Amino acid sequence: MSHVLSEETHRNLLARIPHCTGREISDWLRTVEDGPALFRFEEKVSWLRHEHHLDYGHAKAIVHEYDLRRAARKLR
C-alpha cells in the first residue's frame, strides 16, 4: 500500500489532528521518536493505531510528517 499523500491532503489531516486527538502534532512526533524502533512506514502507522487508538489517516499523516522532518534534518 502506498503511503504517498498529496500535499493538500497531508496538510488537511495535520490540521485536524489536534482537534480530533487533543494533542499537538509536536507531541505526536515525539511519540513516534520515542516509540519502538520500527523501520517500515506501515509498522509505525500500525503501532500508532493500536497503541494510541488513532484513525488510519491520522496515524499515516503523523508518520509521513515525522519522515519528512527526519529527512529534512539529514539534509542540513
Side-chain angles (χ1 to χ4, degrees):
M1 179 177 291
S2 174
H3 64 272
V4 176
L5 298 170
S6 74
E7 183 65 25
E8 181 181 4
T9 300
H10 179 65
R11 293 290 155 216
N12 286 338
L13 281 168
L14 286 180
R16 288 193 303 255
I17 288 171
H19 174 72
C20 294
T21 67
R23 292 177 60 186
E24 295 298 322
I25 296 300
S26 59
D27 293 337
W28 285 114
L29 297 176
R30 276 192 299 278
T31 298
V32 174
E33 180 72 27
D34 295 341
L38 302 170
F39 294 104
R40 291 184 35 228
F41 182 88
E42 287 296 331
E43 289 175 324
K44 293 175 193 174
V45 171
S46 181
W47 174 76
L48 278 176
R49 290 184 69 211
H50 296 291
E51 187 71 23
H52 297 281
H53 310 288
L54 292 176
D55 291 337
Y56 177 74
H58 293 155
K60 186 173 173 179
I62 291 166
V63 174
H64 183 63
E65 184 68 15
Y66 175 81
D67 288 347
L68 288 173
R69 292 185 187 193
R70 187 172 175 204
R73 285 193 309 256
K74 286 184 178 181
L75 294 176
R76 293 181 197 181

